Amino acid sequence: MRGIGKMTLARRAYDDSLFSQYFDKRAWITVSQEYQRSDIFSGLLKSLKNEQSNGSAVELAKMVYQILIGRRYLIVIDDIWSTKAWDDLKMTFPDDGHGSRILLTSRILEVAAHAGSSDTLVHQMSFLNEDQSWKLLQERVFRQEYSCPLHLVEVGKKIAKNCGGLPLTIVMVVGLLCFSVCAFPEDSKIDVSKLIRLWVADGFLKPNDPFRCLEDVGEGYLEDLVKRSLVLVSKKGPDGKLETVGIHDMLREICITKADEE
């Protein structure tokens, strides 16, 4: 089911530091219902080489194969909808006994069963129970503390229950609960990950590349605002990514005025 956490679980595995050390090559591709083989292979090459490649589907598939052969790789194929899609792709991935892995996410059990072999693990996602839903809501609203004020516990649990056990619904509701003109107090350092989650929850981000997740799109927008001097960098991480940002007082006044108008 959409929003049950398939992509989140796959992303946790894909980004795990032990996995990044274990596998020589990693790539992430989203297939969806409508796809072109050439686009898929081009996306895989971009993920593997961080550069754009052109050619026919056959030529691009050969390039993918040549990069992967002899190496231990992890390929995530996200949101695959049909057995045909897997059949179109599977010959591109060499199986040379080096411990490589392919991780698929799909809403259709038949697709997972078709892609697997006798030793394949098919993990079916389940809805969160009421306790898990409430824990997730607390974690997202109150960050590290996980401690909800007593006078909000009853209504908070009702909100969590009404999300129907879907993690994405809970995250979107959190975005609505946390968002206001005063979401970030004056002169505060704005946590980039929280800001982008709010953008996602409010539907501000539109994917301009089928191979990029919304979080990456948000980071791109934010970096563009920094280049225009509309957003000030407060802190960067060891990898150079933005961690906290801020805005000038004058820009803040403009934002508040615009928010009141809209």
Side-chain angles (χ1 to χ4, degrees):
M1 185 171 183
R2 184 177 184 180
I4 204 167
K6 299 181 295 298
M7 187 183 76
T8 300
L9 180 59
R11 177 61 69 175
R12 288 278 181 91
Y14 184 81
D15 290 336
D16 188 273
S17 58
L18 291 177
F19 277 23
S20 63
Q21 296 171 24
Y22 180 79
F23 293 103
D24 304 319
K25 293 287 184 180
R26 293 182 302 154
W28 180 292
I29 191 70
T30 301
V31 178
S32 299
Q33 284 179 281
E34 301 295 330
Y35 69 94
Q36 296 292 331
R37 292 174 68 239
S38 57
D39 292 339
I40 297 298
F41 297 136
S42 177
L44 282 170
L45 287 168
K46 185 176 181 180
S47 185
L48 290 166
K49 301 196 304 177
N50 199 28
E51 63 182 53
Q52 197 67 44
S53 301
N54 298 312
S56 67
V58 173
E59 292 169 339
L60 294 171
K62 286 181 178 178
M63 293 169 67
V64 172
Y65 188 90
Q66 289 167 357
I67 291 174
L68 297 179
I69 192 166
R71 294 181 172 91
R72 183 187 293 131
Y73 59 83
L74 170 64
I75 305 292
V76 176
I77 304 175
D78 183 39
D79 201 21
I80 186 168
W81 279 75
S82 68
T83 57
K84 181 182 181 302
W86 170 245
D87 291 338
D88 284 343
L89 301 176
K90 64 182 180 181
M91 298 304 295
T92 312
F93 308 119
D95 183 8
D96 42 19
H98 291 313
S100 298
R101 291 291 183 267
I102 297 174
L103 175 60
L104 307 178
T105 73
S106 178
R107 302 182 203 179
I108 305 169
L109 184 59
E110 178 190 357
V111 175
H114 175 78
S117 58
S118 58
D119 59 347
T120 296
L121 173 65
V122 177
H123 176 67
Q124 290 185 262
M125 302 294 292
S126 58
F127 293 100
L128 301 180
N129 60 35
E130 289 186 25
D131 288 339
Q132 292 168 332
S133 298
W134 172 229
K135 181 181 178 182
L136 177 59
L137 187 74
Q138 285 191 93
E139 289 174 354
R140 290 304 181 101
V141 173
F142 301 104
R143 305 290 291 172
Q144 300 298 326
E145 296 84 359
Y146 305 164
S147 178
C148 176
L150 291 178
H151 67 284
L152 295 176
V153 169
E154 183 178 355
V155 67
K157 287 186 175 181
K158 286 181 179 179
I159 292 171
K161 181 179 180 180
N162 287 337
C163 289
L166 276 177
L168 181 61
T169 304
I170 294 171
V171 171
M172 293 179 69
V173 167
V174 167
L176 296 173
L177 291 173
C178 294
F179 183 77
S180 71
V181 173
C182 297
F184 302 103
E186 186 175 6
D187 297 325
S188 68
K189 293 181 179 180
I190 299 171
D191 182 87
V192 167
S193 61
K194 178 181 179 181
L195 176 63
I196 292 176
R197 286 199 303 271
L198 289 174
W199 286 352
V200 172
D202 278 276
F204 293 155
L205 302 180
K206 305 299 180 186
N208 52 14
D209 184 332
F211 309 116
R212 296 179 69 195
C213 64
L214 288 179
E215 287 76 8
D216 290 340
V217 173
E219 288 178 5
Y221 286 157
L222 194 57
E223 289 169 359
D224 186 51
L225 293 172
V226 169
K227 291 175 183 176
R228 299 183 189 191
S229 300
L230 293 173
V231 169
L232 310 174
V233 178
S234 300
K235 181 182 177 183
K236 286 188 175 183
D239 56 359
K241 287 191 174 184
L242 299 174
E243 288 192 355
T244 58
V245 296
I247 59 173
H248 192 278
D249 289 347
M250 184 179 293
L251 182 60
R252 178 176 179 272
E253 293 300 323
I254 293 172
C255 290
I256 290 174
T257 302
K258 195 67 177 173
D260 287 339
E261 290 175 2
E262 297 185 358

